[in-house]
Structures are given as structure tokens and as C-alpha cells.
Amino acid sequence: VQLQAFGGGLVQAGGSLRLSCVASGRTFSNYAMGWFRQAPGKERDFVAAVNWSGSTYYADSVKGRFTASRDNAKNTVYLQMNSLNSEDTAVYYCAIGIPYGRRPADFGSWGQGTLVTVSS
């Protein structure tokens, strides 16, 4: 099982980015596909996730600004990030986990991460 995240980069505050994460190696039915982020010197924090059904859930810090979605046929999960601010600067990771999981321990098969830098 391999996950690969794409789409990070440098963006100005208030701007938008769309991250993608492609999973290969198996079909991930009944699993959640999630996004976490880790800023320098900080722990890895939950951002958002999408269950197999398409239901989504978010960290309070991104609710209303970020939108997660998935294409099960493509084993791909997306994270649309709007109204970015400097606190969103981090390496963003995708992973596969249990439905409604929010802890890093609930997820596995971590991708390599993609860096998002928001300039103020």
C-alpha cells in the first residue's frame, strides 16, 4: 500500500490550494482517507477525513475553510483549502484509517507529505 500526496506549495495568505492523495496497491472500501498536518516542532494534527460513504469531518480550526472529498474509483482523496493563513503552514500528510478516526494512531499507510507554506 502506497500513498502519495501532491499539490503543496507557496501561497499568499487568503489564497487557496488543492491537495491530492493517490492510494495504490489495494481497494480501500470501508476505510476513511484522511489528512493530517505537522508544523515544525509540533505534533501531527488531524485536519480532515472522508469516509467511504463520502461523509466528511474536520478539525475545528479548518471547518468552513477546507473541504475534503474522495473519488473511490480512483482511490484518491482531495483537500481543497481556502482562506489560508500562516497557521496553516505545515507538511500535509494523507493516510488510511478507521471511519471517524481523528488520532494519528487511527491511521496508517502514511504518504510522504507535501509542504504547504502560507506567506503573510
Side-chain angles (χ1 to χ4, degrees):
V1 176
Q2 289 187 325
L3 280 76
Q4 189 165 10
F6 304 91
L10 175 65
V11 63
Q12 289 188 334
S16 299
L17 279 177
R18 188 192 194 208
L19 306 183
S20 302
C21 173
V22 181
S24 60
R26 56 167 290 178
T27 300
F28 302 102
S29 58
N30 299 321
Y31 286 91
M33 294 186 74
W35 292 95
F36 286 74
R37 65 187 181 187
Q38 188 166 18
K42 295 189 176 181
E43 295 183 348
R44 189 169 296 188
D45 292 330
F46 172 77
V47 175
V50 190
N51 291 319
W52 176 257
S53 64
S55 61
T56 56
Y57 51 107
Y58 301 90
D60 288 343
S61 59
V62 307
K63 202 172 292 184
R65 300 188 298 124
F66 290 12
T67 302
S69 60
R70 68 190 283 174
D71 184 333
N72 291 331
K74 296 181 179 179
N75 272 350
T76 301
V77 63
Y78 305 96
L79 186 67
Q80 177 66 43
M81 305 186 294
N82 299 328
S83 302
L84 287 161
N85 58 61
S86 58
E87 294 184 351
D88 297 317
T89 294
V91 177
Y92 283 71
Y93 298 90
C94 58
I96 299 168
I98 61 174
Y100 296 105
R102 289 178 176 263
R103 305 174 303 162
D106 295 331
F107 286 78
S109 300
W110 296 89
Q112 87 287 0
T114 185
L115 176 63
V116 172
T117 303
V118 183
S119 63
S120 56

